[in-house]
Amino acid sequence: MVDYPSIKKAALDNPLMQLKVPLSNVQIDNNNNLIVENQPVYASQAAVRDFYKLIGVPSNFAERFGILTGDTNAKADLVKIVKDALAVSKRKKVIAGINLIANPETNEITGIMPGNKDLIPNEIAFQIFEKIMNEQNLEIRSGGYDMHSGLHLNVTSKMIVEKYKNEGYHPGFTFKNSLSGGVSLKNFVLRLICMNGMTEFNGKTGENLTSSVRQLTPKKLEQFFTDFKNMAQKD
């Protein structure tokens, strides 16, 4: 039995936080320390890698660049040059700024995302999930939450929708809210392989149906629910 209230409480009590800032306000020094609005901040190595990836500079190249030029400030200078070039190019994700993702318990920046992607609050994720659940004959099979991988819930239909030679199938989907994928759905089936109730998971359903939301706009949310209705119509 899945303790959904406990999963929900954990997700709501331990949220990640986000701060959207202009790219020009974020620097990195020659020791790979992140500086935000001229203040050093505590950031994970994953967040530093996210920053290099965002500006399109491989972190190992930044290291080599300093060695090749013989300049102790070369890494910071390279980052500044690239940032200035991005600003001139007016790339959308740069114009929108960047999102700094932080763990409020440790005061650590754990990740960095482009400004055109949102960290979707767990409160909103649960609103979306519960609306889906309220409209269908579904049950939660498994799930969990932690601040690194996010929220995940595996859901199937309560009824077996097809039987063939004593085999039954429970179609379902995985609902997630994570930094890497936002709010997302992906379908799967549980195959009843023994009449005593034993099942096996099959993520290859013949037709992979997925949907995700990375920006909280009416258009994106409408498309997400449309995708889910299409998924439900196909069992």
Side-chain angles (χ1 to χ4, degrees):
M1 183 71 177
V2 178
D3 189 353
Y4 177 71
S6 293
I7 294 174
K8 184 174 181 179
K9 185 177 187 304
L12 296 180
D13 289 350
N14 300 281
L16 292 171
M17 308 297 289
Q18 75 173 349
L19 174 66
K20 188 172 289 188
V21 298
L23 179 61
S24 58
N25 289 7
V26 181
Q27 287 83 36
I28 194 163
D29 67 17
N30 290 294
N31 294 315
N32 274 343
N33 297 314
L34 213 61
I35 300 170
V36 180
E37 296 178 346
N38 297 319
Q39 296 294 323
V41 297
Y42 183 40
S44 68
Q45 287 302 304
V48 173
R49 288 194 296 270
D50 286 346
F51 180 77
Y52 278 120
K53 182 178 179 181
L54 183 69
I55 64 175
V57 176
S59 57
N60 57 351
F61 174 75
E63 296 287 348
R64 293 199 308 273
F65 186 76
I67 296 173
L68 290 171
T69 60
D71 185 352
T72 57
N73 295 317
K75 186 189 300 181
D77 291 343
L78 173 64
V79 169
K80 184 179 185 306
I81 291 169
V82 172
K83 287 197 309 173
D84 290 345
L86 289 173
V88 171
S89 71
K90 297 182 179 180
R91 286 170 57 184
K92 288 184 178 179
K93 69 179 182 181
V94 176
I95 293 173
I98 61 175
N99 274 333
L100 304 176
I101 310 302
N103 181 336
E105 291 184 346
T106 61
N107 294 318
E108 178 188 39
I109 294 177
T110 60
I112 297 177
M113 299 192 304
N116 61 350
K117 293 182 179 179
D118 291 327
L119 169 67
I120 298 179
N122 288 321
E123 293 92 336
I124 295 177
F126 279 110
Q127 289 177 25
I128 295 172
F129 177 74
E130 289 170 2
K131 176 155 183 68
I132 290 173
M133 294 297 291
N134 290 338
E135 294 183 353
Q136 304 293 330
N137 188 25
L138 302 170
E139 64 180 345
I140 303 171
R141 293 277 183 151
S142 61
Y145 173 77
D146 68 63
M147 296 188 74
H148 298 288
S149 59
L151 170 70
H152 70 278
L153 296 159
N154 293 316
V155 176
T156 65
S157 65
K158 292 182 179 179
M159 304 296 293
I160 297 175
V161 298
E162 181 179 349
K163 281 188 176 181
Y164 178 71
K165 293 183 178 179
N166 294 326
E167 290 188 2
Y169 297 87
H170 288 281
F173 60 85
T174 297
F175 179 95
K176 290 184 177 181
N177 185 29
S178 66
L179 280 180
S180 59
V183 169
S184 63
L185 290 175
K186 188 178 187 307
N187 66 324
F188 65 85
V189 295
L190 282 181
R191 177 187 174 203
L192 185 65
I193 59 175
C194 181
M195 294 313 293
N196 66 6
M198 183 182 295
T199 60
E200 68 175 3
F201 175 81
N202 181 8
K204 297 180 180 180
T205 62
E207 181 177 8
N208 288 326
L209 305 172
T210 62
S211 185
S212 63
V213 175
R214 293 309 310 264
Q215 290 179 286
L216 292 175
T217 65
K219 184 177 180 180
K220 296 290 186 182
L221 289 169
E222 180 183 4
Q223 184 60 53
F224 183 83
F225 281 105
T226 298
D227 291 343
F228 174 73
K229 287 182 179 179
N230 291 337
M231 187 184 297
Q233 289 172 358
K234 297 180 179 181
D235 286 333

